[in-house]
Amino acid sequence: MQQTSTPVIGMIVPPAAGLVPADGTRLYPGLPFIASGLGLGSVTPEGYDAVIESVVDHARRLKEQGAAVVSLMGTSLSFYRGAAFNTALTEAMRESTGLPCTTMSTAVLKGLRALGVRRVALATAYIDDVNERLAAFLAEEGLAPAGCRSLGITGVDAMARVDTDTLVDLCVRAAEAAPDSDGILLSCGGLLTLDAIPEVERRLGMPVVSSSPAGFWDAVRLAGCEVQAAPGYGRLSGVH
């Protein structure tokens, strides 16, 4: 459908600074994104508990700033209490704003399903408790988590300092730990993964779904933007 203007895509992000993640301008240059920061203190269940009740307020704030859709861009924030909570949180955002809303957990599910991945090797930034909650969430959603390798990071700002070589190695180790997997989930929206994704897919011959790129892919689709992602960032970015 031809649109007279490009819808503004609103994003609730964990860091207090409230900046649009850098992946957005690389994947979808020219699209209008705005963000509101939660001020997450740590990537732990205790950290999530401290901010989760403010998510709906941030969604309303983004609507007031002109957002046409809203995404909660924090994977573990939306899966840590399970599948039913992710659904309920999305609905609460929608009811409060009257806008289409989504979460990064929903985005990675859509991405895995779009690529035909059912048995998932997990490569994450998280501590063990969060990894266990991720595996339980995926199982609730009908997927089969098959092994996990993680970095054990709890610092919000530390995520963006993980380099591409470390991320590639993490994915390779996750795949080796789950030799019967048919895809990899590289989970944590704070990781900068765009350069790692194509290298892992080339090396292992299997698809990689990564949190932040999947979040942008999902939000752009939800907004009805008929825009292709920039090429070269993995299989999911080529799915329309």
Side-chain angles (χ1 to χ4, degrees):
M1 180 183 297
Q2 186 69 32
Q3 298 185 7
T4 57
S5 61
T6 303
V8 174
I9 299 169
M11 303 192 147
I12 304 168
V13 297
L19 302 177
V20 174
D23 290 349
T25 54
R26 292 182 65 183
L27 284 166
Y28 299 99
L31 286 188
F33 299 101
I34 59 174
S36 183
L38 284 169
L40 181 68
S42 66
V43 186
T44 63
E46 294 76 20
Y48 311 144
D49 283 343
V51 299
I52 196 68
E53 298 301 326
S54 68
V55 165
V56 170
D57 289 339
H58 283 271
R60 284 197 294 263
R61 187 173 307 160
L62 287 166
K63 179 184 180 179
E64 291 168 358
Q65 294 172 1
V69 301
V70 176
S71 175
L72 173 58
M73 294 285 280
T75 329
S76 47
L77 276 162
S78 43
F79 72 61
Y80 86 107
R81 292 185 183 177
F85 178 77
N86 179 52
T87 299
L89 181 60
T90 305
E91 181 62 16
M93 293 163 59
R94 188 197 66 76
E95 287 186 352
S96 178
T97 63
L99 300 177
C101 293
T102 188
T103 72
M104 196 173 268
S105 292
T106 298
V108 298
L109 289 173
K110 289 179 179 178
L112 290 166
R113 290 165 179 157
L115 295 175
V117 177
R118 185 184 179 278
R119 191 161 180 82
V120 191
L122 303 181
T124 86
Y126 311 131
I127 59 175
D128 288 345
D129 183 2
V130 181
N131 289 326
E132 291 166 5
R133 293 171 189 241
L134 172 58
F137 171 80
L138 294 172
E140 284 186 274
E141 291 287 355
L143 300 174
C148 179
R149 291 294 181 267
S150 61
L151 299 175
I153 299 173
T154 59
V156 177
D157 294 335
M159 300 299 181
R161 296 195 291 270
V162 179
D163 62 41
T164 295
D165 288 345
T166 298
L167 293 172
V168 171
D169 177 69
L170 177 67
C171 289
V172 170
R173 290 190 291 113
E176 290 173 348
D180 56 348
S181 60
D182 47 22
I184 296 170
L185 172 58
L186 181 50
S187 189
C188 180
L191 297 173
L192 300 178
T193 63
L194 282 181
D195 295 320
I197 294 168
E199 175 60 20
V200 174
E201 292 188 338
R202 182 194 66 78
R203 191 177 299 190
L204 300 180
M206 65 171 61
V208 177
V209 173
S210 177
S211 290
S212 183
F216 278 99
W217 171 82
D218 176 48
V220 168
R221 285 159 54 97
L222 186 64
C225 298
E226 296 182 1
V227 176
Q228 296 184 15
Y233 295 119
R235 300 185 194 180
L236 183 61
S237 64
V239 175
H240 309 310

